[in-house]
DNA sequence: GTGTAACTTGACACGATGTCAAGGGATGCA
DNA sequence: TGCATCCCTTGACATCGTGTCAAGTTACAC
């Protein structure tokens, strides 16, 4: 691929992210993206075979930019299970607002587009693994709440952290990012950590 | 409206519920419904102005059939806040599987159809009121976990009970109805009730 | 100046919702 | 018997967004 083509590809991806971050997921049609990139609608299809693939490519670019991997290091090296839980929730609470636009677009597409659904599920599976690591650390410390298996605890934690829940709490309930972090951390501790609840 | 027209309307609503309960939300197009009801696609539009309105009408019929109101009485008259919490979660856990098909169809539509979104939000608002009543009962007993305002506790409880969470836990995590009831009740207690967690 | 890569232009298919117009058939009423 | 009315059917059409296709343009390289 020549330099020109790579540049056009970049322009398209950047415009996609711009539109997604602008908020209204209904204004991120292929024609909107093309217009924003200053390119014909067909040029977009020359670079990306479908809307789903374009959005997936955009999320990879976004992850690169936001340095997701580096952030997670803080959580993994936080010592005790309790501390790892806190660090993980903090990391997640800081990450979510940054990917909100992209996430919303995917959530809207997941119902109808199988390809988008599988890309999204893959990413959520990664989050689940992070949840599981935290739960196992708690278990190793003897701090996992009684009555919870590792699977059940992971499922609960993962569900608590779901993007839909974040959406509901910040949009419908009007929570700030700070409130989300504080209350969700407290809720996760109450549910998962022995002797922490209420 | 004559007896004939009312009968056709009934047939359409019944077929709609049948298809919704059958599971695959993509097979509930207007033409599917018409075919199932043994009627032309246009006949459906003679009775319901849009797909959204038809689905809304179907949910009202479903509620009537399932006797939602009567069930909630159990929760409201359960005495202490703690007992009301348990009863409310039980009621919800029993109700969800019955409305799953309809709920899925709405969740798929909510992203694109403003009318469907507002109907769905109205129903979720009713659930929220139930959550708030439980939280207030806990507060009155002095059993609300410290650090939680009534609003924050209601928001958390309501979010915990969201249909999306139920979907994720039962479908993606493979939880049974019974597991859902058990773990969600425990989680709700851990988060909301003083001295209950972990 | 010939070729090639990248892009444009404009047309089209598709699947779903929703609209419109014309007509058919049963029932009711004179 | 004739006529009107209601409920429904048939089939065509508009719209919106995605995705495809074919032909043409521009610019640069050799």
């Amino acid at each position: 691929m020549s330099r020109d083509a790579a540049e056009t590809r970049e322009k398209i991806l950047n415009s996609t992210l711009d539109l997604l971050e602008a908020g209204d997921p209904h204004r991120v049609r292929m024609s909107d993206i093309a217009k924003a990139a200053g390119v014909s609608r067909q040029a977009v299809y020359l670079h990306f075979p479908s809307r789903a693939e374009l959005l997936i490519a955009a999320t990879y670019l976004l992850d690169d930019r936001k340095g997701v991997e580096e952030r997670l290091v803080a959580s993994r090296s936080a010592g005790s299970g309790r501390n790892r839980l806190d660090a993980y929730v903090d990391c997640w609470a800081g990450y979510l607002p940054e990917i909100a636009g992209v996430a919303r677009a995917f959530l809207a597409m997941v119902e109808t587009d199988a390809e988008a659904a599988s890309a999204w599920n893959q990413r959520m599976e990664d989050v689940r693994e992070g949840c599981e690591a935290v739960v196992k650390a708690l278990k190793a410390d003897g701090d996992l709440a009684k009555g919870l298996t590792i699977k059940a605890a992971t499922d609960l934690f993962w569900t608590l952290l779901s993007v839909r829940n974040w959406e509901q709490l910040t949009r419908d309930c009007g929570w700030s990012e700070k409130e989300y972090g504080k209350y969700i951390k407290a809720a996760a501790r109450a549910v998962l950590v022995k002797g922490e609840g209420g």
Side-chain angles (χ1 to χ4, degrees), chain A:
Chain A
M1 186 172 286
S2 82
R3 210 180 65 94
D4 279 14
E7 262 175 22
T8 303
R9 198 187 137 92
E10 283 261 314
K11 267 196 301 184
I12 293 169
L13 285 172
N14 284 328
S15 302
T16 305
L17 287 179
D18 287 350
L19 289 176
L20 286 171
E21 284 174 7
D24 184 351
H26 298 119
R27 290 287 162 235
V28 195
R29 289 159 299 195
M30 293 301 261
S31 53
D32 297 317
I33 294 166
K35 191 187 288 180
V39 112
S40 73
R41 193 170 68 92
Q42 274 50 40
V44 180
Y45 283 101
L46 290 178
H47 290 275
F48 304 94
S50 68
R51 185 168 180 269
E53 298 237 6
L54 167 55
L55 262 56
I56 291 164
T59 66
Y60 286 128
L61 177 58
L62 188 63
D63 276 2
D64 266 15
R65 290 211 186 141
K66 302 295 186 185
V68 181
E69 278 310 311
E70 297 89 74
R71 295 186 197 202
L72 286 170
V73 173
S75 151
R76 279 195 281 265
S77 60
S80 76
R82 288 169 129 96
N83 289 343
R84 285 184 67 166
L85 187 150
D86 285 1
Y88 195 71
V89 174
D90 281 338
C91 173
W92 185 242
Y95 177 59
L96 271 168
E98 296 181 348
I99 62 152
V102 178
R104 259 187 284 263
F106 265 91
L107 292 177
M109 248 198 330
V110 154
E111 318 278 353
T112 55
D113 187 310
E115 196 183 356
S118 106
W120 180 255
N121 289 339
Q122 177 53 54
R123 299 178 78 73
M124 289 308 104
E125 206 43 50
D126 294 346
V127 175
R128 212 196 118 88
E129 278 168 29
C131 292
E132 190 173 17
V134 168
V135 167
K136 283 181 169 163
L138 283 172
K139 175 88 174 177
D141 296 352
D143 279 342
L144 187 62
K146 61 188 166 196
L148 287 181
T149 61
I150 286 185
K151 165 145 181 8
T154 302
D155 291 344
L156 276 168
F157 190 24
W158 182 51
T159 300
L160 191 63
L161 293 186
S162 77
V163 177
R164 304 275 195 190
N165 283 349
W166 177 81
E167 272 266 306
Q168 175 159 320
L169 290 168
T170 57
R171 198 193 45 198
D172 302 347
C173 301
W175 287 21
S176 67
E177 181 179 339
K178 205 171 139 192
E179 283 170 317
Y180 175 85
K182 171 182 149 197
Y183 286 123
I184 290 295
K185 207 188 294 172
R189 276 202 296 248
V191 173
L192 301 175
V193 180
K194 193 180 282 181
E196 267 277 357

